[in-house]
Amino acid sequence: MTTPPLALSVLDLIPVRAGQSSAQAVSASLDLVARAEELGYRRYWFAEHHNMPAVASTTPPVLIAAAAGRTSRIRVGSGGVMLPNHSPLVVAEQFAALEAVAPGRVDLGIGRAPGSDPVITQLLFRSGTTSDVDRFPEHIRDILALTSPEGATVRFSSGGEYTVHATPAASGSPEVWLLGSSDYSASLAAALGLPYVFANHFAGHGLERALDLYRTGFQPSETLAAPRTFLTVNAVAAPTAEEAEARALPQLRMMARLRSNMPLVPLETVEQARALPFDAMAESLMSQTRATWFVGTGDSVAAELTAFAARHGVDEIMLSPIAGAFDGEPLDAADGRVQTLSQVAGVLVPVAA
């Protein structure tokens, strides 16, 4: 038997580095999605995070619309929309509109975590209706119904009915994925018969158990007959291993800050990261984090990704290209991240569909 070709996809948090504006960071990411399509990547997802100095991906639907306008083939979507922050109807309407903008290539990845700190969660609550996290399964079902061409039926206690559509005349629906870093979403995705992605790029542990729960508990649905999943990874690829390690350093330092409750700052350049050493605890955190990342030349990263995919029985890998920048690289470009996608695609020749 021959090994099936490995599909490649992209997860983007829109990193913001020192001296860079949000406009420049978004421009760099939109250039990156266009390049990903040229290279044959299958899908491009934007994450949802709030109030972080180094992350500009606060509103996936807006970014997806912009990416859809820059592309014609690659699937575009959320990785993911954090449903507790939003009304299910609003999410359904947004993604029904996106499906109309880019028919047949919109993914709605949904997560249960808030993607923010408690203060931001309260601000989101004040600014509009937010979902009750305890009703997460119910809200997933609501979104599935609302985004379908048939719409959803609301039944009143008096016996009357009311039909609700996320868009007036849908000809298709976004593909809904459940995302998570714990057993909960794996089990729920299996019960609902939905595709599922474990947040391996962030969690770093629990992957095997989550995949086993999902695959063994999967119940076929009208839209999916068998389990469907892929893996997310953090990756940096460069012409030399030395350059790749250097470009990984700014993100490693940011993760150490996050995990040790240090103040967050815009992403450092490589030179800034080298000039300000951390203490022993932070260095230990960086070492632990680096052990789960894929960093090296295009050949070495491609080989590691292929082995990783085979070990876990998947035919798609979603790269979070976390390459940092050197001083002097353009603020409106993503040279290191473009290089990562190009280096890996140059070896694996990704399959888009």
Side-chain angles (χ1 to χ4, degrees):
M1 294 179 62
T2 58
T3 303
L6 184 63
L8 298 175
S9 296
V10 181
L11 175 64
D12 194 352
L13 278 66
I14 311 190
V16 182
R17 73 178 191 261
Q20 189 180 40
S21 69
S22 295
Q24 291 168 326
V26 170
S27 176
S29 280
L30 292 179
D31 287 344
L32 188 62
V33 71
R35 182 62 178 144
E37 178 170 82
E38 292 172 0
L39 290 167
Y41 281 71
R42 175 174 288 177
R43 67 185 91 239
Y44 197 106
W45 285 4
F46 294 97
E48 178 186 336
H49 293 282
H50 301 280
N51 199 41
M52 297 181 70
V55 176
S57 59
T58 56
T59 176
V62 173
L63 299 166
I64 294 165
R70 291 286 298 270
T71 57
S72 60
R73 176 199 52 76
I74 194 169
R75 296 190 66 87
V76 289
S78 57
V81 165
M82 299 295 101
L83 189 53
N85 298 337
H86 310 284
S87 159
L89 176 58
V90 170
V91 173
E93 288 179 329
Q94 290 170 340
F95 279 81
L98 288 169
E99 178 66 22
V101 168
R105 60 188 187 103
V106 173
D107 294 331
L108 170 50
I110 298 175
R112 185 170 173 260
S116 58
D117 58 55
V119 174
I120 297 301
T121 299
Q122 286 301 310
L123 290 174
L124 288 165
F125 182 80
R126 289 179 192 174
S127 64
T129 303
T130 24
S131 302
D132 182 346
V133 71
D134 293 331
R135 298 174 64 194
F136 185 72
E138 177 186 340
H139 290 154
I140 295 294
R141 294 185 182 93
D142 289 345
I143 287 173
L144 290 169
L146 288 164
T147 55
S148 71
E150 297 78 18
T153 300
V154 178
R155 292 178 174 82
F156 300 108
S157 57
S158 62
E161 293 185 349
Y162 191 81
T163 301
V164 184
H165 293 84
T167 193
S171 56
S173 303
E175 187 169 83
V176 175
W177 292 70
L178 283 197
L179 320 178
S181 58
S182 67
D183 297 348
Y184 180 90
S185 290
S187 297
L188 181 60
L192 296 179
L194 293 174
Y196 167 72
V197 180
F198 179 81
N200 180 68
H201 67 286
F202 181 77
H205 61 276
L207 170 62
E208 293 83 0
R209 176 173 168 77
L211 291 183
D212 183 62
L213 282 171
Y214 174 61
R215 287 166 170 159
T216 58
F218 184 84
Q219 300 295 316
S221 65
E222 292 183 4
T223 57
L224 193 62
R228 185 181 180 197
T229 187
F230 59 77
L231 302 176
T232 63
V233 302
N234 291 307
V236 182
T240 67
E242 292 75 18
E243 180 184 342
E245 294 292 347
R247 287 190 180 273
L249 185 59
Q251 282 281 1
L252 282 170
R253 284 170 58 86
M254 188 180 76
M255 291 306 297
R257 286 181 177 275
L258 184 66
R259 289 174 176 169
S260 58
N261 293 318
M262 295 176 65
L264 298 181
V265 297
L267 193 67
E268 298 165 318
T269 64
V270 173
E271 289 84 354
Q272 289 170 333
R274 284 171 166 169
L276 299 169
F278 272 166
D279 60 23
M281 184 182 76
E283 292 291 343
S284 176
L285 287 170
M286 290 169 59
S287 178
Q288 293 170 31
T289 302
R290 168 62 185 86
T292 68
W293 290 7
F294 295 76
V295 181
T297 65
D299 286 333
S300 67
V301 170
E304 290 176 9
L305 291 175
T306 301
F308 188 61
R311 185 160 68 250
H312 295 290
V314 300
D315 62 1
E316 181 176 351
I317 294 285
M318 177 170 276
L319 307 179
S320 178
I322 42 107
F326 288 95
D327 288 345
E329 291 186 353
L331 292 172
D332 60 352
D335 292 355
R337 296 196 294 149
V338 170
Q339 180 175 254
T340 291
L341 299 191
S342 299
Q343 287 271 318
V344 176
V347 178
L348 290 180
V349 191
V351 179

